[in-house]
């Protein structure tokens, strides 16, 4: 439950599990705050004697959403290489007065973790404020950094680490992220552990706002849990605490979140950092896959087809193959001040191939095409991951050696097709304000997922005089290295006409361009693709997912009835953004008893923000 300093709950709804605050204060800028260590301190030394966390929910609906998220996370419902991805985020060199005096603070701490505490097989996405806008232009830098943060976050990751200035409603002076931006964060079932090594991002006892950034992300679908401080902290303390946690999880063992948050707090005498989440949730990097044996050639050829042979492993399993390019050093220079400010950091290890393969019989051979623009020499890495039960396993080959290959005769660029759902778009298309643009790309030489030259990327969308990098949104189809698709969310505020262009390169640098004229119009409220899966239910250990697609953000509730009309279970009202949504039912009634076999009726009820309603009834057969 959540807590506020309104101990008598005069304003209602927030003070469910009261917080311990050594000094009571309602000042958001005050140095004092709450610490939950008090509830687990059995010896009186000020430190928790067992693992503790707070799930700061305020309603049954929030708790239901949290539990559903937790179950899906621990069952590893969504596997994929996102479980081997870190998102590293850093503030820039400017302080609150606009003076570039903090180059030695936030970025060097993140870069230390990047260089020394990030294992080679981890794919790294970097959202460093120095990469965006112009030095000293707080508005431009903040706007571009915010856009990058949201796009990177929405692609999913195992872990997000932030170093910088913050408070319950804001990250960085440039406003990289504000509390009101959080509904734009949509992980689609891939929530990371978020860690904010900053000041007061975890202050959870304020009356306004009801939920700060760390709380909100933990309660909603943005994070499986958050670790953040309730008070101001010294930058050195943040640095060492972050190092401790990263070093701990590098053993590639399974750790409860309570251990991850707690052990470093004791080591560095911290009591005001709070875990927002279930301390018993199990977290780990991908576990070593000891059953897998893979052979690759001594040297792989760029600009050519290559292969890896899986000699031993688990057949009838979906394997994910990821090849990461070696990272390079990048030097940032701020020459607007004298003396100039510089810093050299280690860049991203960008994926140059990402695909999935359904292995039926062993041994089996996986084929992939390396881009001709990749660097030769040592330093790249191959990772092969798979799900086994509720574990996510990984096998790595590092370092790979790249050499120049024999360039083929392919002179044509990729074929490009636009879709909304399964409807192909030709030349001109009428579309809603918000939709998913699906682009199918195919080429015998594969699609270039690396840099082509300069700032030119392998897949780009040109719109509003800007080029949008679409490489992170591309996935090859299963068992293919020649064909795949981009899925990119398109969002517009009002009806308009707009021209877009898709530019794609194959791995031999052959280019194709396709144009599309969009007629963007607001559409009526609708709910489609309403399904229950599985249906019928035959496994007694299975649950049911109710899925649907909303044309507009809405409140959704599922009710399940017997054939005689008796209410068996209700999900409670839950808020969903436009697009795909799902609600999980564990096949227990409102009294938490197992339900019996039989035919049931489920009703989906929706109400959007404009008050428009929709409901439908369908059947569900349970035959366990």
């Amino acid at each position: 439950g959540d807590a506020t300093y309104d101990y008598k709950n005069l304003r209602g709804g927030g003070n469910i599990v009261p917080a311990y605050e050594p000094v009571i204060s309602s000042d958001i800028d005050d140095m004092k705050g709450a610490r939950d260590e008090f509830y687990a301190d059995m010896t009186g030394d000020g430190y928790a004697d067992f693992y503790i966390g707070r799930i700061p929910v305020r309603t049954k609906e929030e708790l239901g959403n949290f539990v559903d998220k937790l179950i899906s996370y621990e069952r590893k419902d969504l596997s994929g290489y996102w479980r081997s991805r870190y998102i590293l985020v850093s503030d820039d060199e400017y302080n609150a007065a606009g003076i570039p005096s903090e180059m030695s603070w936030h970025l060097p701490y993140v870069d230390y973790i990047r260089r020394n505490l990030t294992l080679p097989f981890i794919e790294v996405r970097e959202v460093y404020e120095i990469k965006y806008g112009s030095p000293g232009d707080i508005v431009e830098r903040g706007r571009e950094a915010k856009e990058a943060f949201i796009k990177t976050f929405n692609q999913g990751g195992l872990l997000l680490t932030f170093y910088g200035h913050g408070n319950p409603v804001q990250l960085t002076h440039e406003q990289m992220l504000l509390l009101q931006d959080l509904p734009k964060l949509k992980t689609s079932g891939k929530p990371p552990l978020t860690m904010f090594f900053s000041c007061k991002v975890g202050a959870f006892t304020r009356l306004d706002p009801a939920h700060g950034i760390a709380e909100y992300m933990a309660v909603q679908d943005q994070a499986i849990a958050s670790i953040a401080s309730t008070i101001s902290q010294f930058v050195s303390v943040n640095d060492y605490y972050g190092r401790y946690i990263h070093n701990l999880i590098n053993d590639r063992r399974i750790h409860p979140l309570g251990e991850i948050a707690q052990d470093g707090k004791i080591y560095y005498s911290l009591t005001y950092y709070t875990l927002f989440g279930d301390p018993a949730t199990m977290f780990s990097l991908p576990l070593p896959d000891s059953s897998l044996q893979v052979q690759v050639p001594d040297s792989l050829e760029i600009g050519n087809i290559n292969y890896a042979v899986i000699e031993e492993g688990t057949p009838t399993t979906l394997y994910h193959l990821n090849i990461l390019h070696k990272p390079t050093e990048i030097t940032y220079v701020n020459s607007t001040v004298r003396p100039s400010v510089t810093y050299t950091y280690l860049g991203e290890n960008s994926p140059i191939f990402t695909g999935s393969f359904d292995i039926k019989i062993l041994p089996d051979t996986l084929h992939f095409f390396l881009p001709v623009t990749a660097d030769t020499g040592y330093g790249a890495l191959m990772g092969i991951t798979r799900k086994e039960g509720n574990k996510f396993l990984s096998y790595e080959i590092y370092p790979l050696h790249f050499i120049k290959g024999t360039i083929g005769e392919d002179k044509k660029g990729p074929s490009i097709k636009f879709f909304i759902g399964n409807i192909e778009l030709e030349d001109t298309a009428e579309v809603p304000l918000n939709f998913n643009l699906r682009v199918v790309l195919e080429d015998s030489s594969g699609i270039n997922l690396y840099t082509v030259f300069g700032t030119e990327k392998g897949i780009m969308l040109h719109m509003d005089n800007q080029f949008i990098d679409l490489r992170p949104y591309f996935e090859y189809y299963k068992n293919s290295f020649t064909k795949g698709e981009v899925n990119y969310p398109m969002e517009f505020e009002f009806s308009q006409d707009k021209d877009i262009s898709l530019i794609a390169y194959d791995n031999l640098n052959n280019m194709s361009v396709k144009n599309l004229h969009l007629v963007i119009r607001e559409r009526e409220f609708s709910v489609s693709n309403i399904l229950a899966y599985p249906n019928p239910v035959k496994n007694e250990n299975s649950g049911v997912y109710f899925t649907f697609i909303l044309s507009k953000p809405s409140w959704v509730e599922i009710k399940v009835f017997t054939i005689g009309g008796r209410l068996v279970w209700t999900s409670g009202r839950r808020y969903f953004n436009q697009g795909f949504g799902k609600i999980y039912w564990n096949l227990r009634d409102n009294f938490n008893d197992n339900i019996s076999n039989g035919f049931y009726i489920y009703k989906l009820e929706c109400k959007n923000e404009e008050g428009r309603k929709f409901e439908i009834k369908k059947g569900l057969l349970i035959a366990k």
Side-chain angles (χ1 to χ4, degrees):
D2 201 3
T4 73
Y5 50 72
D6 175 19
Y7 286 104
K8 294 185 178 181
N9 215 23
L10 298 177
R11 291 176 55 174
N15 198 38
I16 299 170
V17 180
Y20 173 70
E21 296 191 69
V23 178
I24 302 300
S25 173
S26 61
D27 184 356
I28 198 169
D29 293 320
D30 198 277
M31 293 291 289
K32 305 301 185 288
R35 58 184 182 92
D36 284 338
E37 305 284 302
F38 171 81
Y39 291 111
D41 179 11
M42 302 292 104
T43 59
D45 62 358
Y47 299 101
D49 294 301
F50 52 85
Y51 300 142
I52 186 170
R54 178 181 288 268
I55 304 172
V57 297
R58 294 192 171 200
T59 65
K60 290 190 297 183
E61 290 76 17
E62 287 182 345
L63 181 58
N65 281 339
F66 180 87
V67 172
D68 288 347
K69 174 180 66 175
L70 194 62
I71 291 172
S72 176
Y73 182 87
E74 293 200 330
R75 287 193 315 204
K76 307 291 191 298
D77 282 350
L78 282 179
S79 60
Y81 213 81
W82 68 272
R83 290 185 179 271
S84 300
R85 181 183 300 144
Y86 283 0
I87 302 172
L88 302 181
V89 187
S90 169
D91 205 339
D92 68 3
E93 72 271 33
Y94 285 90
N95 63 19
I99 300 172
S101 60
E102 299 180 355
M103 195 72 256
S104 62
W105 286 17
H106 319 294
L107 180 56
Y109 301 154
V110 179
D111 191 44
Y112 180 90
I113 289 174
R114 170 72 183 93
R115 293 175 183 272
N116 302 290
L117 296 175
T118 301
L119 299 178
F121 71 91
I122 296 294
E123 178 192 339
V124 177
R125 300 283 178 87
E126 297 171 347
V127 184
Y128 299 164
E129 269 199 336
I130 61 168
K131 296 168 59 176
Y132 309 104
S134 303
D137 188 334
I138 185 171
V139 175
E140 180 188 25
R141 173 163 283 182
R143 176 180 54 80
E144 292 187 11
K146 183 195 303 285
E147 181 179 326
F149 183 101
I150 293 171
K151 286 184 176 181
T152 303
F153 189 93
N154 287 351
Q155 291 155 25
L158 179 72
L159 183 71
L160 180 143
T161 299
F162 169 79
Y163 278 90
H165 292 287
N167 61 50
V169 299
Q170 179 176 336
L171 299 184
T172 80
H173 300 308
E174 294 77 18
Q175 300 184 355
M176 175 189 285
L177 190 72
L178 297 175
L179 184 64
Q180 56 263 38
D181 297 323
L182 295 185
K184 299 176 183 177
L185 302 180
K186 305 168 186 176
T187 62
S188 302
K190 298 175 283 188
L193 168 62
T194 55
M195 304 192 298
F196 301 97
F197 301 110
S198 179
C199 299
K200 298 175 288 189
V201 178
F204 63 89
T205 57
R206 313 299 178 186
L207 288 172
D208 187 17
H211 280 150
I213 289 175
E215 290 179 276
Y216 185 101
M217 295 180 75
V219 170
Q220 303 300 325
D221 292 334
Q222 283 92 344
I224 193 60
S226 296
I227 298 174
S229 175
T230 63
I231 65 170
S232 296
Q233 295 284 1
F234 291 108
V235 291
S236 58
V237 170
N238 293 332
D239 178 25
Y240 291 125
Y241 186 36
R243 291 188 189 188
Y244 187 96
I245 292 177
H246 277 270
N247 188 62
L248 174 66
I249 63 178
N250 276 349
D251 64 5
R252 298 183 71 176
R253 296 180 179 179
I254 299 175
H255 297 275
L257 289 180
E259 177 190 5
I260 291 172
Q262 185 68 21
D263 286 9
K265 291 165 64 175
I266 296 174
Y267 191 84
Y268 290 108
S269 302
L270 300 172
T271 57
Y272 284 95
Y273 264 95
T274 297
L275 169 66
F276 298 101
D278 180 1
T281 300
M282 296 301 171
F283 177 92
S284 75
L285 300 183
L287 305 176
D289 194 344
S290 58
S291 68
L292 201 61
Q293 289 192 16
V294 181
Q295 293 295 327
V296 297
D298 292 337
S299 298
L300 301 177
E301 297 185 359
I302 62 173
N304 212 337
I305 299 174
N306 295 270
Y307 66 89
V309 179
I310 298 185
E311 297 181 336
E312 294 186 20
T314 303
T316 67
T317 297
L318 186 65
Y319 287 85
H320 303 276
L321 172 63
N322 205 40
I323 299 177
L324 302 176
H325 196 278
K326 62 182 179 183
T328 59
E329 301 274 347
I330 300 173
T331 298
Y332 166 76
V333 179
N334 179 354
S335 57
T336 64
V337 293
R338 292 290 182 269
S340 61
V341 176
T342 65
Y343 188 80
T344 299
Y345 62 92
L346 186 62
E348 299 178 347
N349 50 352
S350 304
I352 53 179
F353 180 85
T354 300
S356 58
F357 297 87
D358 196 6
I359 304 298
K360 299 297 185 183
I361 301 175
L362 294 176
D364 202 350
T365 302
L366 313 183
H367 291 95
F368 51 93
F369 207 116
L370 294 179
V372 70
T373 51
D375 295 335
T376 57
Y378 289 94
L381 177 140
M382 175 184 293
I384 300 176
T385 59
R386 66 184 177 93
K387 177 186 174 185
E388 183 179 88
N390 63 350
K391 297 179 181 178
F392 192 65
L393 307 177
S394 176
Y395 179 93
E396 303 90 33
I397 300 176
Y398 174 80
L400 299 175
H401 183 238
F402 288 174
I403 61 173
K404 290 184 177 180
T406 303
I407 305 301
E409 298 298 322
D410 180 13
K411 301 298 181 183
K412 293 179 60 178
S415 68
I416 303 172
K417 294 182 179 180
F418 292 110
F419 291 85
I420 292 183
N422 293 321
I423 301 175
E424 186 173 359
L425 310 179
E426 294 286 355
D427 300 329
T428 299
E430 183 173 326
V431 297
L433 296 183
N434 301 297
F435 66 96
N436 178 70
L437 179 65
R438 188 164 72 93
V439 185
V440 176
L441 303 174
E442 184 174 13
D443 193 285
S444 60
S445 300
I447 308 302
N448 192 336
L449 301 183
Y450 193 52
T451 300
V452 179
F453 52 84
T455 59
E456 196 86 355
K457 310 302 181 185
I459 313 172
M460 298 181 295
L461 179 68
H462 184 252
M463 181 172 64
D464 296 332
N465 295 319
Q466 293 183 331
F467 288 95
I468 302 170
D469 183 5
L470 294 187
R471 295 174 302 164
Y473 301 89
F474 176 83
E475 288 187 8
Y476 280 106
Y477 291 147
K478 187 166 58 177
N479 301 322
S480 175
F481 65 92
T482 61
K483 186 177 183 180
E485 65 180 49
V486 170
N487 283 277
Y488 184 73
M490 303 284 280
E491 299 180 355
F492 303 96
E493 295 182 356
F494 53 87
S495 298
Q496 57 188 294
D497 286 18
K498 192 175 293 290
D499 292 312
I500 65 172
S501 299
L502 195 290
I503 303 102
Y505 289 84
D506 68 13
N507 282 311
L508 299 181
N509 269 8
N510 299 307
M511 183 184 74
S512 295
V513 179
K514 187 164 185 177
N515 303 315
L516 181 64
H517 180 73
L518 299 178
V519 181
I520 304 162
R521 298 292 182 264
E522 186 171 4
R523 293 183 177 177
E524 292 296 317
F525 175 55
S526 65
V527 186
S528 59
N529 289 29
I530 302 163
L531 298 170
Y533 179 82
N535 188 8
V537 180
K538 296 182 179 180
N539 187 341
E540 63 179 353
N541 296 319
S542 173
V544 174
Y545 282 97
F546 300 100
T547 63
F548 44 86
I549 295 177
L550 303 172
S551 64
K552 294 184 177 182
S554 306
W555 291 94
V556 179
E557 184 171 19
I558 300 289
K559 295 179 180 178
V560 179
F561 301 87
T562 65
I563 195 68
R566 180 175 62 86
L567 178 64
V568 174
W569 177 80
T570 179
S571 67
R573 293 175 70 240
R574 305 183 188 182
Y575 185 80
F576 290 88
N577 288 307
Q578 175 264 341
F580 177 80
K582 65 179 180 180
I583 293 176
Y584 178 76
W585 180 33
N586 62 2
L587 300 184
R588 292 178 177 269
D589 63 19
N590 285 330
F591 299 99
N592 203 35
D593 294 325
N594 287 317
I595 65 166
S596 57
N597 290 341
F599 187 78
Y600 293 82
I601 302 295
Y602 69 90
K603 181 168 72 170
L604 181 144
E605 299 177 349
C606 293
K607 183 178 181 180
N608 70 10
E609 295 172 329
E610 300 162 357
R612 298 226 19 218
K613 297 180 180 180
F614 174 93
E615 67 176 50
I616 190 172
K617 294 180 180 179
K618 289 193 170 187
L620 172 66
L621 178 62
I622 298 176
K624 298 180 288 184

